[in-house]
Amino acid sequence: MTPISILFVCMGNICRSPLAEGIFRHLVTEAGLNGHFTIDSAGTGGWHEGEPPDGRSIATAQSNGIDISGQRARRIRSSDYRDFDLILAMDRDNVAALEKIAPPEATIRLFGDAALGTGEDIPDPYYGGPDGFELIYTRLLTGCSSLLEALGVERASCSGNTSSVR
């Protein structure tokens, strides 16, 4: 069975996408589905490459029982478009940046569309305080829970074929 591969993307890969990766990974583990998913995160920019997530993201995740402190920021690579079944961008600016360099077969979706069904952007909390990180944590948790439920059902119904994710 080939795992469904998901890449969460924000601007610098230190606030939103590491939280989304950590939340989704935590939910997958709790559901006993570790072998069913490949999960990662990246940024459209490389300003923070090699750095851990923002301390406020780490603290927010930690306060919710999730450890993301071992993650390291990285920039999107051309191979990601081939290697990931689903690339989920946190806002429309990230979608636009990804689409500029993506091959036609890449599946890039706005997190707010694919996971929340609302079409909303997940706002960047970088320039705000801890409350902004709590707010996005709540939105990401809601979306990641819905996404896992949808993909788990899809996984069961397609018997290892992930073509419907694309």
Side-chain angles (χ1 to χ4, degrees):
M1 175 183 328
T2 304
I4 297 172
S5 53
I6 301 171
L7 182 68
F8 297 97
V9 179
C10 66
M11 188 181 295
N13 192 213
I14 61 168
C15 295
R16 297 168 288 175
S17 58
L19 266 176
E21 175 189 348
I23 291 166
F24 196 74
R25 189 178 306 281
H26 179 76
L27 293 172
V28 164
T29 299
E30 283 197 331
L33 298 171
N34 281 333
H36 297 243
F37 293 93
T38 300
I39 308 156
D40 200 359
S41 63
T44 56
W47 312 277
H48 302 286
E49 277 191 274
E51 295 177 17
D54 185 287
R56 296 165 294 178
S57 283
I58 293 172
T60 299
Q62 186 111 33
S63 72
N64 288 282
I66 300 171
D67 182 8
I68 64 169
S69 64
Q71 293 182 25
R72 293 296 175 262
R74 71 175 183 88
R75 187 176 194 168
I76 188 99
R77 301 182 283 256
S78 58
S79 60
D80 289 333
Y81 294 106
R82 177 188 66 246
D83 295 342
F84 287 91
D85 299 314
L86 182 59
I87 299 172
L88 293 176
M90 295 294 128
D91 61 41
R92 285 170 179 76
D93 289 341
N94 297 139
V95 170
L98 291 166
E99 287 178 340
K100 280 183 186 175
I101 57 173
E105 66 274 7
T107 302
I108 301 164
R109 304 265 320 269
L110 181 67
F111 182 88
D113 282 338
L116 292 167
T118 61
E120 70 188 83
D121 283 347
I122 301 299
D124 190 347
Y126 184 76
Y127 292 105
D131 289 350
F133 285 82
E134 286 297 331
L135 176 66
I136 66 158
Y137 177 87
T138 301
R139 298 309 295 146
L140 292 171
L141 177 60
T142 299
C144 285
S145 297
S146 296
L147 184 65
L148 179 59
E149 184 177 326
L151 293 176
V153 168
E154 182 174 293
R155 166 61 74 194
S157 68
C158 67
S159 302
N161 179 357
T162 61
S163 62
S164 58
V165 173
R166 292 190 175 267

